[in-house]
Structures are given as C-alpha cells and as structure tokens.
Amino acid sequence: MPLLHTELCDIVGIEHPILQGGMGPYKTESLATAVSNAGALGVISSIGMAATLLPDVAPVDALRLFGTDPPPVILRKSIEAVTKNTKTSNGVFGVNIPVASEFIFASEMFMRETIEACKADSDIERSLRVIITSAGNPKPWAVVKKEGFIWVHVAGCTMHAKKAEASGVDIIVASGHEGGAHVSWDPVHSMVLIPAVAKAVKVPVVGAGGFCDGQGLAAALCLGAAGVQIGTRLIATEESDFEPTWKQAIIDREERNTLVGRGLFGPMRFLRNTRAEDIVKRTLKDVPNFFLGEPVESNEEILELERTGFDDLINGKSDTALMFGGEVVGRIDDLPTTKDLIQRIIKEASMILKTVPENVLRS
Ligand SMILES: Cc1cc2nc3c(=O)[nH]c(=O)nc-3n(C[C@H](O)[C@H](O)[C@H](O)COP(=O)(O)O)c2cc1C
C-alpha cells in the first residue's frame, strides 16, 4: 500500500494528515498524547477557559472536569505531560487558543503561558510546534508566527479564510456546519466549504466537520484539502479524557440526533437530549429572526442550563448532561484505541484513493 502523505505532513512534521480538533474547555491531555503518539497532531484544548471567564459557570462539581488548579497552571501541566509522554515517539503536538473578542483576556493568558512554556524548556519547544487559533479574528495574533510556531487558524467561510491568509497563517482549517460544538450562525457545510476555501486561498486547507473514517479523509483530499481535523470521533476512543457517559452517547446516537443552540462561546452543536432541547427552546425565545441569521446573546437562563448540564455530565445523567458532538455521531459505533482508529482511517483512505480510479476510469 502506498504511503498517504500530503504537504500538511511536511509542514507540521506528522506522519498522517490528521489533526485532532481542540475541544475546550475540556481537558484533552491523554487524547493529545495518544493522537501524537499515533503519528497525527494531538492538540491540548483551552482547558477550563469557561472557569476563568465566568467563575459562576463552573460550580464545584464541574471544576472536576477541568482540574482544581487555575487554568494557566492546568495548561502548563498538560503541556509538560504531553511533552514527556510523546518523547519516545518524537510526536509533535499543538495548543488550541480560541480568540473570540469577548474573551480576549483569557486568550492572551493562554497565549502567554504557551509561549513561556516553550521558552522555559527545549523539549517542549521541540514538540509543541503548532498553535491553532479559532473562533475570532486572527489578525492581532501574528505573535504566533513571530515566536516560531506553525500557525493554524479555523474559519467557517471563505471570507474569513481569506482574512486569515492575509494575516499570515500557515494553514487554514475549513470548519463545516455539521461539526461538533463550535459552529457558525451562517451554516455552510463541509461539502461546499472545503472546495470553496481550497480555491480561495493558496495556503494548505484542512477540512473539519463530519470526518470519522477513511472515506471522509479520501473525500476531503479529493475536495482539495491536505488533511482533516477530527473532533467528535476522537472523543469516543479508549484514551480520550471525556466522561464515559459522553463516549457512550456518541456511540448510541444516529445522525439526526444533534441540535444547534446558543452556548457560552456562541453557536454550538449539542448532542440531542432534554438539556440540549431546553437550550434550543431558550435560544429561540424572543428571537423570531433566528433562522434569518439574527444572532442571540447568551443570558442567565442559558448559563444556568449549561451550569447544571456540566454537573449532570459529571454525575452520569445522560439525558440532562451537557454534551457536544457533530452529525458524524451517526457514523460512530465503537470505542477503539486512538492508534487503531488512526491506522484504520489511513488504511481505508489509501485503499479508496487507489481502487476508486481503477474502478471508475475507463480508457
Ligand atoms: C466537545 C467539543 C469541544 C470543542 N471545542 C472547541 C474549541 O475549544 N475550539 C475550537 O476551535 N474548536 C472546538 N471544537 C471543534 C473541533 O475542534 C472540531 O473542529 C470539530 O469537532 C470537527 O467536527 P467533528 O466534530 O464533526 O469532527 C469542539 C468540538 C467538540 C466536539
């Protein structure tokens, strides 16, 4: 079987063209380690960002999801742990820093901590190669390049992708509306978004939203991407740090079982349960033009629904737990190790890319 290799592998220094999506505010330390050890790019998420921003959102119970240290300390410990545990495989990894304007002071804190961690330790500097900015304007964040990182930015439309390219990013993640958690108020799905962004910019594009297997990776490459970024599928792996209730919910759901509503950080795709339904009902209350694109601000009622949803997740209450996930849940039905999953994706994509032309091209 030929080796599946793209320019994404060369730029980032990974064996397989797969990035783990940042999945804040949750801890993704052991997932990032497993993904990087499997030859793809593991990513540490903006752990506990919600706790930093709005202490009220993080009741005592929910803090167990993030750890009890202040967020910068959790981040530093995660960076050190992933560096140590990927040393034997020479794995590289990244940190995701959402840069939404409402929470800029938290973004600055995460950025500072990441840069300082690299300066303080040459092992960290060698393996922490990538910063993925998302959920906001990349322009003020040129420090990422200046400090020598590979700069990836997540965009949900061609206009934002072009702005990111003009800001100097190295790689753009084109993130389609079927993806888990962070989505855009203006829905554009991967099938349209990826080729549109690939045509609009010169830098390599990574497809995100709806990818879980080799069929998806092969399709993304055919649409002009240099690889895929995966979120939901990686939650349901043996090593992932997520709660067992959440992993099982992903395995149990079919593709219709997600809903988009207003979350703390903007529009979010939730796994459908009574918690998600209540958030969507509250999102739509008093906003008659929601489906015409009128954005909704967060409010106390939504925050309270999220707060209790965090608690119910910790306590294993599947029907009222706050859980995010993409439409791709309908295509996920097992709990593999991360390594098996990544090898399966690469093997299947390579097979498809080899056999489909043989089967369909006639001379
Ligand atoms: C639980 C969860 C949390 C997420 N949090 C973040 C985040 O903090 N920052 C970000 O850029 N993307 C976030 N995302 C989006 C992922 O990085 C990724 O782009 C998305 O999951 C891809 O779509 P998929 O879920 O269909 O694989 C999150 C996704 C999930 C499922």
Side-chain angles (χ1 to χ4, degrees):
M1 184 61 61
L3 191 68
L4 202 162
H5 191 91
T6 72
E7 56 185 334
L8 180 67
C9 304
D10 295 327
I11 295 172
V12 177
I14 45 180
E15 192 183 344
H16 308 304
I18 298 175
L19 314 184
Q20 174 215 318
M23 289 188 275
Y26 305 95
K27 195 168 184 182
T28 54
E29 179 180 305
S30 73
L31 178 62
T33 301
V35 171
S36 291
N37 281 335
L41 186 82
V43 173
I44 293 176
S45 308
S46 54
I47 317 154
M49 201 177 214
T52 346
L53 299 167
L54 297 171
D56 287 355
V57 173
V60 176
D61 249 10
L63 278 173
R64 282 173 22 218
L65 284 170
F66 313 127
T68 46
D69 290 319
V73 178
I74 307 176
L75 176 66
R76 179 69 77 106
K77 283 185 178 169
S78 257
I79 289 174
E80 287 167 358
V82 177
T83 302
K84 180 164 161 264
N85 296 325
T86 52
K87 212 169 169 181
T88 331
S89 69
N90 283 325
V92 293
F93 68 97
V95 170
N96 170 228
I97 304 179
V99 292
S101 55
E102 306 95 297
F103 308 130
I104 223 70
F105 78 94
S107 316
E108 279 164 357
M109 183 195 71
F110 279 95
M111 189 67 77
R112 207 168 35 244
E113 198 58 37
T114 304
I115 292 169
E116 277 171 15
C118 285
K119 287 193 170 148
D121 182 323
S122 58
D123 281 342
I124 295 178
E125 194 182 21
R126 230 183 339 269
S127 30
L128 202 180
R129 303 277 299 114
V130 178
I131 290 183
I132 304 179
T133 52
S134 59
N137 179 9
K139 203 169 172 194
W141 297 98
V143 62
V144 175
K145 266 216 87 72
K146 222 172 93 210
E147 293 290 341
F149 294 94
I150 296 153
W151 186 9
V152 181
H153 185 75
V154 183
C157 65
T158 46
M159 186 185 76
H160 290 159
K162 281 188 193 170
K163 283 190 175 171
E165 184 177 49
S167 304
V169 309
D170 298 298
I171 296 165
I172 289 168
V173 174
S175 178
H177 196 65
E178 56 272 75
H182 296 261
V183 289
S184 161
W185 286 128
D186 308 307
V188 186
H189 294 77
S190 297
M191 193 69 181
V192 169
L193 184 70
I194 296 168
V197 172
K199 192 174 171 192
V201 299
K202 291 195 176 59
V203 296
V205 172
V206 172
F211 297 102
C212 66
D213 61 6
Q215 284 183 310
L217 173 56
L221 298 178
C222 292
L223 293 172
V228 291
Q229 170 168 292
I230 299 181
T232 305
R233 168 68 271 194
L234 284 167
I235 293 177
T237 54
E238 265 184 31
E239 299 90 339
S240 102
D241 317 60
F242 288 78
E243 301 291 305
T245 305
W246 195 335
K247 296 184 185 186
Q248 191 57 46
I250 286 176
I251 292 170
D252 291 344
R253 279 184 177 54
E254 53 146 290
E255 75 275 8
R256 290 177 301 172
N257 298 149
T258 69
L259 290 172
V260 173
R262 182 58 158 97
L264 171 60
F265 295 99
M268 306 291 257
R269 186 177 294 282
F270 301 90
L271 295 186
R272 186 168 187 154
N273 60 8
T274 56
R275 174 76 47 198
E277 287 167 6
D278 287 345
I279 290 177
V280 171
K281 278 182 206 155
R282 187 58 195 82
T283 301
L284 294 175
K285 202 169 140 192
D286 308 326
V287 191
N289 290 331
F290 179 79
F291 288 107
L292 293 174
E294 185 179 323
V296 188
E297 292 310 316
S298 193
N299 57 48
E300 248 322 301
E301 274 179 70
I302 292 178
L303 286 179
E304 181 56 26
L305 286 166
E306 292 202 324
R307 263 195 288 267
T308 33
F310 276 131
D311 277 347
D312 289 352
L313 174 63
I314 290 267
N315 295 321
K317 296 182 185 165
S318 187
D319 195 41
T320 47
L322 185 77
M323 296 180 286
F324 303 98
E327 293 173 9
V328 75
V329 285
R331 302 190 60 230
I332 297 170
D333 53 17
D334 61 356
L335 192 74
T337 66
T338 306
K339 187 173 176 194
D340 284 350
L341 174 69
I342 287 174
Q343 286 185 346
R344 189 164 90 192
I345 294 173
I346 296 299
K347 200 168 158 203
E348 190 189 15
S350 308
M351 184 69 81
I352 291 169
L353 292 168
K354 185 170 179 300
T355 54
V356 169
E358 283 168 8
N359 290 341
V360 304
L361 293 178
R362 301 280 181 271
S363 50

